Amino acid sequence: MSEADAASRHLPVLAERCLDLLAPAVERAGAVLIDATLGMGGHTEAALRRFPSLHVVGIDRDPQAVALASTRLASFDRFTAVHTTYDHIDDVAARYGDGGRVQGVLMDLGVSSLQLDEAERGFAYAQDAPLDMRMDQSTGISAAELLAEAGEAELRRILRVYGEEKFAGRIAKAIVARRETAPLTRTGELVDIVRDNIPAAARRTGGNPAKRTFQALRIAVNGELEVLERALPRAVEALAVGGRIVVESYHSLEDRAVKTVLARGATSSAPPDMPVEPETHRPYLRLLTRGAEEADAAEQARNPRAKSVRLRAAERLRPTPEHLLGRPTSRSRRSPAA
């Protein structure tokens, strides 16, 4: 794929809104932004064009994405690509930030346009292809291997938890029965199994009936939620005071994880019955969005991927208090609306 193809095929979701939220932190001279989910480089290119002194470090676990974005952004000497999973964001900040801190972090979660569009990667239920779904095909087990090795109970859990699939039990049972006669190796085979085990009435609404199963397997194959849960607190700690984090999520499990970490930082850690809030217990984040923002109708019309986006953002007010580092914070009476 050429640089021009990448630019034409990748329309970043809510790019201007993301940049507006980041602007007060990253428009200053010498600022560093970590794009933790580089993909085809759409958000990064928009940031580099808007902020002429900004250095962007782009992280992606997909070697193809790193290569493609690096070609697309080759004219910018203020761009650096790093091939790794974004839960290593603290290491990246330590290398490229000032004193291990950066001014901005952007996360556009979920599967990238590149992965969905390349049929042979096996992410898309609309095209028959090998059942792979790995974001980095050089490591880990494929979806086909997961379907061959996981027990029925584990498959049911994956489909129910990660895909919020109501018919997880039926689908898991059918997968196990099928693999006793022949292995599942193609996306089309899996689509047929899902369709055959979802009632006709349920198939008539909500789009392709296989979408929840494919989402669940993709999340499991790539350990997406585990990576996200490790990355979020590290991303917050990588921010300098005054720095900002913007996160775009595409399903409820991602958004819930983001909401929890940002609300924790924006909540006083003082006991509810303490008459005076100690300085050390004041919130260290300020929420920049009221709840999760959604794309308007015009954005959704321009970019269908924006239909399910949930955007949250926060600003670092002060360093995280020592007593909270590495530990969860309980709710208090001073918790902001989230």
Side-chain angles (χ1 to χ4, degrees), residues 240-255:
V241 172
R244 294 186 169 205
I245 180 171
V246 175
V247 187
E248 295 178 288
S249 306
Y250 295 88
H251 60 75
S252 60
L253 296 173
E254 290 175 341
D255 183 56

Side-chain angles (χ1 to χ4, degrees), residues 27 49 56 65 100 114 136 156 168 175 178 191 195 214 229 231 243 260 279 315:
E27 61 191 359
R49 293 193 183 282
V56 180
L114 168 65
D136 182 351
R156 184 170 58 247
I175 289 170
R178 161 60 189 270
V191 169
R195 184 181 293 112
F214 273 65
E229 288 168 359
T260 297
E279 175 72 22
E315 178 186 16

Side-chain angles (χ1 to χ4, degrees), residues 85-98:
T85 51
Y86 64 89
D87 54 342
H88 291 106
I89 193 169
D90 49 347
D91 298 328
V92 174
R95 182 174 179 183
Y96 295 100
D98 181 5

Side-chain angles (χ1 to χ4, degrees), residues 19-305:
L19 297 185
D20 288 344
L21 287 164
L22 290 165
V26 304
E27 61 191 359
R28 64 189 71 170
V32 176
L33 167 68
I34 296 179
D35 183 345
T37 50
L38 176 62
M40 286 194 283
H43 283 100
T44 285
E45 182 175 18
L48 289 166
R49 293 193 183 282
R50 177 163 169 179
F51 306 112
S53 66
L54 178 65
H55 180 197
V56 180
V57 182
I59 297 173
D60 208 290
R61 71 196 299 177
D62 186 338
Q64 187 180 359
V66 170
L68 184 64
S70 295
T71 300
R72 177 180 182 175
L73 303 169
S75 61
F76 296 96
D77 59 6
R78 297 174 286 116
F79 169 69
T80 304
V82 178
H83 175 219
T84 190
T85 51
Y86 64 89
D87 54 342
H88 291 106
I89 193 169
D90 49 347
D91 298 328
V92 174
R95 182 174 179 183
Y96 295 100
D98 181 5
R101 300 290 185 269
V102 298
Q103 284 64 51
V105 170
L106 173 63
M107 295 181 178
D108 182 18
L109 303 175
V111 66
S112 74
S113 301
L114 168 65
Q115 291 153 351
L116 285 173
D117 291 347
E118 297 292 330
E120 291 304 302
R121 303 292 296 272
F123 287 95
Y125 43 76
Q127 300 169 299
D128 185 50
L131 266 170
D132 194 317
M133 298 193 191
R134 289 173 296 171
M135 293 178 177
D136 182 351
Q137 292 181 306
S138 68
T139 187
I141 66 168
S142 68
E145 291 171 310
L146 175 62
L147 291 175
E149 298 169 6
E152 183 177 334
E154 176 63 5
L155 289 172
R156 184 170 58 247
R157 184 194 69 82
I158 288 170
L159 298 180
R160 181 175 294 136
V161 174
Y162 297 158
E164 299 175 294
E165 174 56 72
K166 294 179 182 178
F167 305 102
R170 291 189 189 187
I171 296 168
K173 185 176 181 179
I175 289 170
V176 171
R178 161 60 189 270
R179 74 189 188 194
E180 290 179 356
T181 59
L184 275 167
T185 61
R186 308 286 299 182
T187 58
E189 296 168 344
L190 180 59
V191 169
D192 289 342
I193 287 176
V194 173
R195 184 181 293 112
D196 291 345
N197 287 278
I198 290 181
R203 295 200 302 266
R204 286 194 285 268
T205 59
N208 193 304
K211 67 180 182 181
R212 291 178 296 275
T213 292
F214 273 65
Q215 172 184 294
L217 289 175
R218 188 202 81 220
I219 290 172
V221 164
N222 295 288
E224 289 181 38
L225 289 177
E226 293 86 350
V227 172
L228 177 63
E229 288 168 359
R230 290 192 297 268
L232 285 168
R234 295 175 187 178
V236 169
E237 290 310 306
L239 286 176
V241 172
R244 294 186 169 205
I245 180 171
V246 175
V247 187
E248 295 178 288
S249 306
Y250 295 88
H251 60 75
S252 60
L253 296 173
E254 290 175 341
D255 183 56
R256 193 177 307 143
V258 175
K259 175 181 176 180
T260 297
V261 169
L262 297 189
R264 178 184 302 154
T267 301
S268 172
S269 59
D273 57 354
M274 183 172 287
V276 178
E277 180 185 29
E279 175 72 22
T280 54
H281 288 63
R282 291 173 60 193
Y284 54 90
L285 294 179
R286 178 173 70 91
L287 301 181
L288 300 173
T289 56
R290 189 175 183 83
E293 293 185 359
E294 302 180 19
D296 61 21
E299 174 83 11
Q300 292 183 34
R302 286 193 303 271
N303 191 352
R305 189 167 178 251

